[in-house]
Amino acid sequence: MNEPEITDELIAAHGISPEEYARILEIVGRKPSFTELGIFSAMWNEHCSYKSSKKWLRTLPTTGSQVICGPGENAGVVDIGDGLAVVFKMESHNHPSYIEPYQGAATGVGGILRDVFTMGARPVAAMNALSFGAPDHPRTAHLLRGAVEGIGGYGNAFGVPTVGGELRFHAAYNGNCLVNAFAAGIARADSIFYSAASGVGMPVVYLGAKTGRDGVGGATMASAEFGADAEEKRPTVQVGDPFTEKRLLEACLELMETGAVISIQDMGAAGLTCSAVEMGDKGGLGIRLDLDRVPVRETGMTAYEMMLSESQERMLMVLRPEKEAEARAIFDKWDLDFAVVGETIAEDRFLIMHGNETRADLPLRALSGNAPEYDRPWVETPPPPPLPDLPAIGAIDALKSLIGSPNYACKAWVWEQYDSQVGADTLRTPGLGAGIVRVHGTEKALAFTADVTPRYVKANPVEGGRQAVAEAFRNLCAVGARPLATTDNLNFGNPEKPEIMGQFVGAIRGIGEACAALDMPIVSGNVSLYNETDGRAILPTPTIGAVGLLDHIDGIIAGRPADGMLALLLGAPGAHMGQSALLAEAFGIEAGEAPPVDLGAELRHGRFVLENHALIAAASDLSDGGLALAAFEMAAAGGVGVTLDSDEIAELFGEDQARYLLATSFDQAEALMIAAGHAGVALRAVGRFGGNRVRLGAAEAPLDDLVALWSGSLARHFG
C-alpha cells in the first residue's frame, strides 16, 4: 500500500517541530517513511518522552529504605514487610475524557490497572481525582456524568474497589477537564516483573485483545492544546472492555507463576510502538516485529495504524522460548490472543515488517533514551493580588456557602456509583477521608488518598506543591496510617509559555521539599501538559496520590464523634484567609497568599497522631474550609451536633496548615493533653460534640437542616 508523501503539513500534524524533523533526518540519514514519521511522533511527543519535564523530574526524591522500584517502570513498588509489596501509580486521561467522557475515563482506569498488574501485582484499590469546569457551564454536567459512569462501569466490572479520590469544579477547567486515575496492587516482594528485555533471539509475544483502529494518534493528541476542532478528535479515544481486562489480569498472573516471562509491558500510550521500544531500550536490545502476525479485528489495517493503535487490554512480552506451549495454553484457556510477533535482536534497530516489506527501520535508542529534552524558559510566578478586607458574613451563613456549593457538598452521588466493597477487604469507604483496604490474608492494611489545592498552586507554586504533599501526609496520619510513598500526576498548561513552565518548576520544588522532609518519596507518576483550550490554561493541578501502612488493623482511627466527646485542635488557631475556600465560594474572591507550610510542624503533628492513635476516637485533617468545615463533616458522619467556642471567621474558616481536629472522650482528652505537653505540640479544646445543632459561637442551626443542604447540593446542580 502506498504511503502518503511527507510534507511540511504532515510533519506539523504529527506534532513534530521543524527542529525535531531536522534531527530525525540526521538520525535516519534519509527521509522517513510515513510509518516512521508516526513512530517518531508517538515516541517524541510530550506524553511519552517527558521532553519538557525530565530536567525537573530528576530533582525529586525517589529513593528510601522502603522503595523497591522507583520511577521508570510501569508502576512504583514499595516494601510493606513480611515479603509483600504495594505497587501503585497515578496517570491522566484528560484529553480523551473531554472528547468522549465515558470511554475516556473508563480506559484511563483500564490503563492504570494494567500498569499495576503488569508488575505482577493483583489490584486491590482504585482512586480518581476529577476536575471539571464551572457547575453552570453547558458541558460540565455531561462531562461529570460521563466520566463518573465510565469510571464506575470499568472499575466495577473489572472488580477493583474504588476507595477514595477528589472532585472539584472551577471555570479554569471549562475547556479541559482532568481525569486522573490511581490504582494499587499487592505483590510478593521477590516476584516483581519488569519491562527490560534481555537475551538475543527471544520471542516477542503479543497478548490480550485484538488490535483495531481506535486510539490511533491518541498520545499525540494528548500532547497538544485543544482548539475549536476538539470534537473532531473523537476517533483518537480508545474503547475499553473491562471483562476482557479481567481475563487478561488472570492470564498474566497465571503466566507469571510459570517462569515464562522475561519481561512484560502494558500497551498503553502509543500502543505497540511504545511498549516495544521501551522494552528494547531498557534492555539495550533491538526489536524486530512482523505485523502480519498481529491479531487484528479490522481488515486492511496499515503498518502505521497497527503501530499507533491504542486499542485496550493488550500486553507485550518477551518470552522464554522453551515455555511457549505452556504460555499459549494459558491464554487459550482465558480466550485471549497469544501471538509471537517478533524477536529481540542484538543491533540497535527497530525493524517493522508488513506484507513482506520493511515499513520502518530505525535506531531504537534514538526513539526512547535519546529522545529530545528541553530546558524550557521559565519565569517565577508573581505574587497574587493582595487580600482585600474580608466582607462581613455570619458564621452559619459562611458554613452554608461552603456546604451548599458543589465543591464542598457531600460527594455521595459520585462515590455511590463506584463499588467500594468488591473483594471484601475495604475497611473504610469513600467520603470519610483516606480509604483503607486490608492486605488480604494478613492483619495489615493500606490507606490511600489523593490531594491538591490548585488555587494555592496558582498563587504560589512552591507552597502549593508543599501543601499538596502535606495534605496527603495528614490524611494518612488521620486514619492511623504511617505514610510510605507517593505518586504524582502533574497537570499543567502549555510548557512553551514561560509563566506555565514557571508554575511547573515551582510546584516540583515544593513537592520535592515536602516529600524529602516527610519521607514520602515519589515512586511513580505522570506529567500531563498542554491542558489548554484556545490558549486558556487550567489551574496548575499537581495531584499527589499517597499510600500509608497500618501494621495492624487495630491501629485504624476510624471512629465517629459521639455525644459528649470533646473537640480538640492539634496545631495553631486559624488565621490565614488568603486563597481560602470561604473567599472563593462565598464571594468569588481568589486573592492573597497561599498558606505557608511548616514541614517540621507537619512531621511533629503527624507523628503525635500516630503515636497516640489509641486515645483518638475520630480525626480529620484541617484543609479547605478550616476548622468549621472539618467539624461539620465529622458531626454529619457521627449524626451528632457540634459546638465550637469561637465565632471569629478567621479562626473558624482560616486554612492554616499542619492541623488536625480530634474527637475524644474526656479521659482520653486529658491523657492527650499530657502527651502533647511532653511532645511540645499545641493541643487545646475548641468545643464539644453533642445534641442536634451546629453552634459556631453564638450562631446556630439544626444539624439536620445543614446535612440536608450539604447532601443535596450536587443533585440540585446536576440533577
Side-chain angles (χ1 to χ4, degrees), residues 75-204:
V77 186
V78 175
D79 192 350
I80 60 171
D82 298 322
L84 297 174
V86 59
V87 179
F88 63 96
K89 189 182 184 183
M90 181 175 266
E91 276 209 339
S92 60
H93 232 221
N94 302 337
H95 282 41
S97 298
Y98 184 77
I99 297 165
E100 171 40 67
Y102 184 95
Q103 290 296 349
T107 53
V109 174
I112 201 67
L113 289 169
R114 287 195 304 280
D115 281 337
V116 166
F117 71 75
T118 194
M119 302 287 292
R122 180 173 292 278
V124 297
M127 291 191 297
N128 52 78
L130 310 177
S131 302
F132 295 100
D136 58 356
H137 187 271
R139 279 186 64 84
T140 296
H142 164 70
L143 294 171
L144 172 66
R145 290 193 192 103
V148 169
E149 289 174 9
I151 291 165
Y154 204 103
N156 296 354
F158 177 85
V160 62
T162 298
V163 300
E166 56 177 0
L167 170 64
R168 71 179 54 84
F169 302 92
H170 192 284
Y173 304 102
N174 282 350
N176 203 126
C177 65
L178 303 183
V179 174
N180 294 174
F182 169 99
I186 302 295
R188 296 198 309 272
D190 61 355
S191 299
I192 305 299
F193 288 82
Y194 299 99
S195 58
S198 65
V200 175
M202 296 294 110
V204 175

Side-chain angles (χ1 to χ4, degrees), residues 484-639:
L484 280 182
T486 56
T487 180
D488 57 10
N489 203 148
L490 307 175
N491 307 274
F492 290 82
N494 185 342
E496 296 167 45
K497 297 177 179 178
E499 64 274 16
I500 299 293
M501 199 65 210
Q503 292 175 345
F504 183 87
V505 171
I508 286 280
R509 179 184 145 198
I511 289 168
E513 289 172 359
C515 286
L518 302 175
D519 192 21
M520 296 170 69
I522 298 273
V523 297
S524 59
N526 170 240
V527 177
S528 176
L529 303 177
Y530 296 95
N531 288 291
E532 300 198 6
T533 297
D534 295 328
R536 293 190 297 274
I538 61 163
L539 292 179
T541 311
T543 308
I544 299 295
V547 177
L549 175 66
L550 289 124
D551 291 313
H552 197 284
I553 58 173
D554 289 348
I556 295 174
I557 304 171
R560 303 185 185 198
D563 193 62
M565 286 187 177
L566 294 183
L568 304 182
L569 174 65
L570 174 60
H576 189 95
M577 294 301 296
Q579 299 298 330
S580 65
L582 179 62
L583 282 186
E585 297 297 339
F587 307 109
I589 296 171
E590 295 181 19
E593 259 293 349
V597 178
D598 180 339
L599 294 170
E602 295 284 2
L603 191 60
R604 287 192 302 276
H605 295 174
R607 285 178 174 167
F608 179 81
V609 171
L610 294 179
E611 289 166 1
N612 295 281
H613 67 86
L615 298 172
I616 301 168
S620 173
D621 92 296
L622 300 195
S623 50
D624 281 40
L627 175 63
L629 185 58
F632 166 76
E633 289 177 344
M634 289 177 72

Side-chain angles (χ1 to χ4, degrees), residues 400-567:
K400 287 180 176 178
S401 74
L402 292 178
I403 64 177
S405 74
N407 275 314
Y408 302 104
C410 175
K411 305 300 193 302
W413 175 83
V414 173
W415 54 258
E416 283 175 353
Q417 296 185 54
Y418 308 146
D419 189 339
S420 60
Q421 297 288 355
V422 62
D425 281 318
T426 304
L427 301 176
R428 189 177 173 105
T429 54
L432 295 170
I436 305 175
V437 173
R438 183 200 297 268
V439 179
H440 194 76
T442 77
E443 294 301 308
K444 296 178 185 287
L446 292 166
F448 305 97
T449 186
D451 299 285
V452 67
T453 308
R455 64 182 184 277
Y456 293 173
V457 187
K458 184 180 181 184
N460 185 325
V462 178
E463 290 292 1
R466 286 191 193 114
Q467 193 275 340
V469 177
E471 186 174 345
F473 175 85
R474 292 197 302 271
N475 274 325
L476 297 175
C477 292
V479 298
R482 173 169 53 87
L484 280 182
T486 56
T487 180
D488 57 10
N489 203 148
L490 307 175
N491 307 274
F492 290 82
N494 185 342
E496 296 167 45
K497 297 177 179 178
E499 64 274 16
I500 299 293
M501 199 65 210
Q503 292 175 345
F504 183 87
V505 171
I508 286 280
R509 179 184 145 198
I511 289 168
E513 289 172 359
C515 286
L518 302 175
D519 192 21
M520 296 170 69
I522 298 273
V523 297
S524 59
N526 170 240
V527 177
S528 176
L529 303 177
Y530 296 95
N531 288 291
E532 300 198 6
T533 297
D534 295 328
R536 293 190 297 274
I538 61 163
L539 292 179
T541 311
T543 308
I544 299 295
V547 177
L549 175 66
L550 289 124
D551 291 313
H552 197 284
I553 58 173
D554 289 348
I556 295 174
I557 304 171
R560 303 185 185 198
D563 193 62
M565 286 187 177
L566 294 183

Side-chain angles (χ1 to χ4, degrees), residues 295-451:
V296 294
R297 65 169 187 262
E298 300 183 44
T299 58
M301 288 190 71
T302 65
Y304 178 97
E305 290 170 329
M306 279 192 267
M307 291 306 296
L308 298 188
S309 167
E310 294 184 6
S311 293
Q312 295 292 286
E313 293 86 44
R314 302 180 301 159
M315 296 280 198
L316 200 64
M317 172 181 69
V318 177
L319 173 76
R320 298 192 190 282
E322 69 275 12
K323 295 278 191 176
E324 181 180 335
E326 187 178 0
R328 186 184 298 275
I330 291 170
F331 276 76
D332 286 346
K333 180 182 83 172
W334 288 101
D335 193 24
L336 293 164
D337 278 295
F338 178 102
V340 177
V341 296
E343 64 177 351
T344 58
I345 56 178
E347 301 84 10
D348 177 25
R349 293 174 76 190
F350 192 41
L351 185 60
I352 309 300
M353 308 299 295
H354 189 223
N356 295 319
E357 293 185 31
T358 301
R359 293 297 181 183
D361 189 354
L362 300 169
L364 186 143
R365 252 150 278 166
L367 296 168
S368 182
N370 295 324
E373 186 175 326
Y374 297 120
D375 185 1
R376 302 276 192 200
W378 61 277
V379 295
E380 286 196 17
T381 300
L387 189 65
D389 291 337
L390 193 66
I393 189 170
I396 291 294
D397 286 341
L399 179 61
K400 287 180 176 178
S401 74
L402 292 178
I403 64 177
S405 74
N407 275 314
Y408 302 104
C410 175
K411 305 300 193 302
W413 175 83
V414 173
W415 54 258
E416 283 175 353
Q417 296 185 54
Y418 308 146
D419 189 339
S420 60
Q421 297 288 355
V422 62
D425 281 318
T426 304
L427 301 176
R428 189 177 173 105
T429 54
L432 295 170
I436 305 175
V437 173
R438 183 200 297 268
V439 179
H440 194 76
T442 77
E443 294 301 308
K444 296 178 185 287
L446 292 166
F448 305 97
T449 186
D451 299 285

Side-chain angles (χ1 to χ4, degrees), residues 44-58:
W44 282 14
N45 66 55
E46 197 72 55
H47 192 75
C48 293
S49 73
Y50 295 87
K51 59 190 176 185
S52 297
S53 56
K54 276 182 183 175
K55 169 186 169 72
W56 302 102
L57 296 178
R58 292 191 189 102

